Amino acid sequence: MVTAPSESQRNRRPSMLDVAQAAGVSKAAVSKVIRNAYGVSPEMRRKVELAIETLGYRPSVAARSMRGASFTIGFEIPQLGNDFFTQVMQGAADELAGSGYQLIIAPAMGEVKGAPVLDALVDRQVDGFVAISPEVEPEWLERLGKTIPIVLLGRHDKSTNYDTVTNDDAAGARLVMDHLIELGHRDIAHLTIHAYPQAAENLVPHEIRRRVYAESMSRKGLDARVTYSGPLEPDAYQAAFRLLSEPNRPTAVFAANDTLAIGALRARTELGLTAEELSIVGYDNIDLAAHPIVSLTTVDQFGRESGAKAIRLLLDRIQGRTEARHEMITPELRVRASSRFATMQLF
Amino acid sequence: MVTAPSESQRNRRPSMLDVAQAAGVSKAAVSKVIRNAYGVSPEMRRKVELAIETLGYRPSVAARSMRGASFTIGFEIPQLGNDFFTQVMQGAADELAGSGYQLIIAPAMGEVKGAPVLDALVDRQVDGFVAISPEVEPEWLERLGKTIPIVLLGRHDKSTNYDTVTNDDAAGARLVMDHLIELGHRDIAHLTIHAYPQAAENLVPHEIRRRVYAESMSRKGLDARVTYSGPLEPDAYQAAFRLLSEPNRPTAVFAANDTLAIGALRARTELGLTAEELSIVGYDNIDLAAHPIVSLTTVDQFGRESGAKAIRLLLDRIQGRTEARHEMITPELRVRASSRFATMQLF
DNA sequence: ATGAAAGCGCTAACAT
DNA sequence: ATGTTAGCGCTTTCAT
């Protein structure tokens, strides 16, 4: 599979030694100039900078980070193409701009999720990382957190070795359910993604939303209907299509995130149904939700802000903080055209 | 700005030496086991693997890449949140899955675009990178290409030191214009992003599309109307809103990419116009374009395929190929509901 | 203010 | 089959 790359007749990049020789000084001197360290004469600085310039020298991060920092921040996302994650990354990238740190994003590739990517990031000497990994085990993270600064997004565990930024998923889900019930809906289905094997312990956003859904339903004496699908829009479309094709289709769908809601919207449209016949509510408030052709009722969980907050916590930790911090963001309902009053039931 | 991270009381990761000592062997032996190199007895392998396991040892990529490869592929994107780029990344990520290489994505952050990020990638010892950087100068890339394998997406220059994967933008734009003219449109506006200062030399996709637009118009004796906006959907929305609010609004808009087209669609919807009154055609065929609530006529330029192809070329180059390869993808028109016959003109 | 030299964690060439 | 050793490019004492 992996074959060693041929370094054949490639031009070698100039090293610090090359610069030192070109400037007629020592490596240590060059290093000091680069790091703005104490004790360099203007004359020395001039010479060295000239040599750097003419040789087009750039320090090797790999070599540097063997001693100190790499000034690289990792960001793991479970999936490419989820607009909410994109929002979070935008917030992170903006927050990091001009900080001197470089952001690198590592998508969990293929079937392998979570931990391997985080390892890969750590192996690459990032100074810390932000992750959206509901699937990794807390114990594993606790251990890793002793080694490197970590901020986890969307996890409700109260860790001691890493920070978390979460959204109050229970409150958000309640906003949705209250909204739908107020609109008179009684047959509300929940569309969510397959549960992770180890998600049992109440820590994962989708799991919390599902539970609140179930509780809200049973409290009103209504029957819960949960439909599971894959995480992508086409998956949700198919699942929703099947659900809505059933003879006793629900009058409302609470989709556990906006990507799923968009899939449900496609199914609704293709089946010739309107918001009057089927309300759809999502979760995330992706940018597209506010688009008038979509106009999706959803829960705003402030993705950009979360991303920015995560970066701030991480930089803090990199600066030396060791006690864990756990920030919770309060979500808000955005009512739009995709949810309507329940129409007359025929029974 | 940048302060050195405190390495305070962090746990050090075990090094190869730790493993060697724990197993009672030499570092070289450990290295050989890790790399599956020739000459390790089953007994040795067992001991070493046990030590690795119990210590939780992971090799440092930084140290490794100082000698050989880092098995890391970089992917630069100019912008977070453009669905077409996401498509390309998905193609790349899928192609790379299981190859032993880790993909890291570096978004061009803040106002600084292009080159600095590529430098950052190279500094981090990637074994090669794919970039979507219309803004960097070819000469600069030619020089860098001598140092490291590079594949550029969407650039039409015939480089000798890096590969390119492009879409036939001229053909694609012609598909759009022919389509709109066939539908009877005569007042067609073009919505595109601000030209880059150095984009003059015909190499950049949007520039090519704009030129074909202008040529098509003048060939038919029609007046060209080009509106420029920023790259994001809200930018396009605003620009389109102004354009469509003019007394003599066009009957069709050719948006230079789908993100812009979605913005135009928002403006059209908010102004209460329908496809009958204003046709909109995009470029890219992002997934959303096929959604029935959007149903955007657009040009499919096979993003996932491009991403996959770029990775294949890159891995090739990493294996040793040195002659440049330039692959061109032929785009296809996808006619959907956003474009209609031009309605009666009042003049 | 400047430089020599040790060492970071690894690989690879060379012994044994 | 296994170990020794010399770097890779940098930072960091410690001399000068």
Side-chain angles (χ1 to χ4, degrees), chain A residues 16 27 31 35 57 59-60 64:
Chain A
M16 182 174 276
K27 282 196 308 175
S31 176
R35 290 172 299 123
Y57 166 77
S60 148
R64 290 186 93 163

Side-chain angles (χ1 to χ4, degrees), chain A residues 266-286:
Chain A
R266 178 142 69 105
R268 180 177 87 184
T269 308
E270 290 201 352
L271 287 166
L273 302 172
T274 66
E276 264 66 39
E277 295 158 285
L278 181 83
S279 288
I280 296 178
V281 179
Y283 203 112
D284 285 350
N285 196 32
I286 60 176

Side-chain angles (χ1 to χ4, degrees), chain B residues 12-342:
Chain B
R12 198 176 54 82
R13 313 190 351 145
S15 76
M16 182 174 278
L17 184 60
D18 299 323
V19 176
Q21 286 169 344
V25 300
S26 75
K27 282 197 308 173
V30 178
S31 175
K32 278 178 185 155
V33 170
I34 286 176
R35 290 172 298 123
N36 285 308
Y38 179 79
V40 270
S41 66
E43 165 63 6
M44 165 71 86
R45 151 153 278 122
R46 225 188 31 71
K47 280 193 299 186
V48 171
E49 276 169 352
L50 180 73
I52 289 178
E53 181 63 30
T54 57
L55 266 63
Y57 165 78
R58 311 214 89 228
S60 148
V61 172
R64 290 187 92 164
S65 54
M66 289 190 62
R67 281 315 227 145
S70 68
F71 295 107
T72 309
I73 298 291
F75 196 124
E76 180 266 358
I77 52 167
Q79 174 196 147
L80 238 32
N82 178 312
D83 286 356
F84 176 66
F85 297 156
T86 302
Q87 233 181 73
V88 177
M89 292 191 305
Q90 286 174 334
D94 289 348
E95 184 69 27
L96 216 46
S99 71
Y101 283 87
Q102 170 67 36
L103 180 69
I104 66 177
I105 297 161
M109 294 182 338
E111 325 78 81
V112 197
K113 320 199 117 192
V117 194
L118 301 184
D119 272 337
L121 242 22
V122 176
D123 296 346
R124 278 159 187 79
Q125 311 286 111
V126 294
D127 292 339
F129 67 81
V130 178
I132 311 184
S133 287
E135 302 200 24
V136 297
E137 293 172 33
E139 303 77 40
W140 189 85
L141 276 176
E142 287 286 6
R143 211 169 331 116
L144 191 58
K146 287 183 192 152
T147 312
I148 180 176
I150 300 176
V151 177
L152 233 68
L153 278 159
R155 290 266 303 231
H156 292 254
D157 27 39
K158 291 284 175 246
S159 55
T160 62
N161 293 320
Y162 56 90
D163 303 333
T164 58
V165 175
T166 51
N167 150 264
D168 192 341
D169 290 289
R174 245 176 260 120
L175 289 174
V176 173
M177 292 308 291
D178 290 352
H179 171 65
L180 287 174
I181 286 169
E182 252 173 48
L183 288 176
H185 292 281
R186 300 185 55 79
D187 194 352
I188 306 168
H190 185 49
L191 175 62
T192 188
I193 55 180
H194 299 297
Y196 318 106
Q198 71 277 50
E201 53 266 70
N202 203 14
L203 306 171
V204 180
H206 283 70
E207 182 65 12
I208 296 175
R209 296 172 198 168
R210 191 192 58 70
R211 288 194 191 182
V212 170
Y213 159 79
E215 283 164 21
S216 301
M217 292 299 273
S218 74
R219 189 172 306 124
K220 296 283 172 186
L222 305 173
D223 286 336
R225 284 170 85 163
V226 179
T227 301
Y228 293 92
S229 91
L232 302 174
E233 191 268 352
D235 305 324
Y237 160 69
Q238 287 183 11
F241 195 95
R242 274 195 300 274
L243 173 68
L244 301 180
S245 304
E246 287 174 21
N248 62 336
R249 63 153 198 272
T251 67
V253 170
F254 168 21
N257 68 237
D258 283 355
T259 299
L260 302 180
I262 300 294
L265 209 50
R266 177 143 69 106
R268 180 177 88 183
T269 309
E270 290 202 351
L271 288 166
L273 302 171
T274 66
E276 264 66 39
E277 295 157 286
L278 181 83
S279 286
I280 296 178
V281 179
Y283 203 112
D284 284 349
N285 196 32
I286 60 175
D287 296 348
L288 187 62
H291 199 293
I293 61 175
V294 175
S295 195
L296 178 68
T297 296
T298 188
V299 176
D300 193 345
Q301 58 164 324
F302 307 94
R304 289 188 180 76
E305 213 176 280
S306 304
K309 202 166 280 218
I311 291 297
R312 281 197 294 272
L313 286 176
L314 190 65
L315 293 182
D316 252 36
R317 240 185 206 278
I318 290 175
Q319 293 316 324
R321 173 170 55 75
T322 54
E323 344 73 75
R325 301 232 344 233
H326 302 286
E327 303 218 0
M328 173 98 86
I329 290 179
T330 304
E332 292 174 15
L333 188 70
R334 302 273 174 255
V335 178
R336 301 206 178 91
S338 72
S339 59
R340 303 286 174 81
F341 278 104

Side-chain angles (χ1 to χ4, degrees), chain A residues 100-167:
Chain A
Y101 282 87
Q102 171 67 35
L103 180 69
I104 65 177
I105 298 160
M109 295 182 336
E111 324 79 81
V112 197
K113 320 199 116 189
V117 194
L118 301 183
D119 272 337
L121 242 21
V122 176
D123 296 345
R124 277 157 188 82
Q125 311 283 113
V126 294
D127 292 340
F129 68 81
V130 178
I132 311 183
S133 287
E135 301 202 25
V136 296
E137 294 173 31
E139 304 76 41
W140 190 85
L141 277 175
E142 287 287 5
R143 209 167 336 115
L144 192 58
K146 287 184 193 153
T147 312
I148 181 177
I150 301 177
V151 178
L152 233 68
L153 278 159
R155 289 267 302 231
H156 292 253
D157 28 38
K158 291 284 177 245
S159 54
T160 62
N161 293 320
Y162 56 89
D163 302 333
T164 58
V165 175
T166 50
N167 152 262

